[in-house]
Amino acid sequence: AIASAKPKEILMVRGGIERYLRTHPDGGYWTGANYLFDRRFEQRPETAIEKTPLGACGVCEAACEHYRGKFVCGSCKVPALVCRPCREAGDRDDLVKRVRCRLCREGHAGARRVAVPDVVDAPKKPPPKPPRRASRVVFLGNLPFTVE
């Protein structure tokens, strides 16, 4: 993976990444590929020159960018990249046990490692006040008006 691939800032793109890439065929500020959940698998700028993979295999850490085979991280269960040589070599069950995403390899706390906080009972609300009886005095401007 490329060391410079860490983002400097994260921005929301109005209309989504797909619209941004249609608006900027050269990619604009976009680097890499957009993962898609259909048969296209990925979307790149139309005139992208550089196709250096930004990701790494979840097993051997070789440069890789294709989500194929529906592999997930063994710790946090997020989709993980697995390179073709690792996919084609050996038993899939053994491979599934060894796959780790970048964050889990670096020791970041995943969803399964975070301790569940103790829940503290919220203070009880005081009982509602009884309804007030209707007032016999109504003020119209600054003048009191008495109803009998």
Side-chain angles (χ1 to χ4, degrees):
I2 300 173
S4 65
K6 295 186 179 189
K8 294 179 183 110
E9 62 181 317
I10 298 173
L11 302 171
M12 174 76 80
V13 180
R14 175 177 273 171
I17 296 167
E18 185 172 0
R19 182 175 174 193
Y20 182 82
L21 292 177
R22 276 190 272 130
T23 305
H24 302 278
D26 62 340
Y29 291 106
W30 181 262
T31 303
N34 178 29
Y35 177 68
L36 302 173
F37 296 93
D38 59 18
R39 290 179 181 231
R40 296 177 292 170
F41 291 114
E42 67 182 30
Q43 178 183 24
R44 293 183 173 276
E46 293 175 13
T47 58
I49 298 169
E50 187 177 332
K51 294 195 177 195
T52 305
L54 297 177
C57 175
V59 179
C60 68
E61 299 186 32
C64 178
E65 63 181 353
H66 300 291
Y67 286 100
R68 302 290 191 274
K70 299 181 181 178
F71 289 99
V72 295
C73 175
S75 297
C76 65
K77 306 299 183 206
V78 300
L81 296 167
V82 176
C83 65
R84 180 178 298 222
C86 289
R87 286 194 314 262
E88 293 174 351
D91 184 29
R92 181 179 170 87
D93 293 333
D94 179 50
L95 186 63
V96 168
K97 294 174 187 173
R98 296 186 301 147
V99 176
R100 294 289 177 268
C101 70
R102 181 181 58 87
L103 294 176
C104 290
R105 282 194 312 260
E106 292 176 1
H108 294 280
R112 300 194 187 285
R113 294 186 195 165
V114 177
V116 178
D118 292 332
V119 179
V120 178
D121 290 335
K124 296 187 179 185
K125 294 181 181 178
K129 295 179 180 178
R132 297 185 338 179
R133 65 183 189 106
S135 175
R136 298 186 68 162
V137 178
V138 178
F139 285 89
L140 298 173
N142 291 334
L143 301 173
F145 180 68
T146 306
V147 178
E148 293 191 27

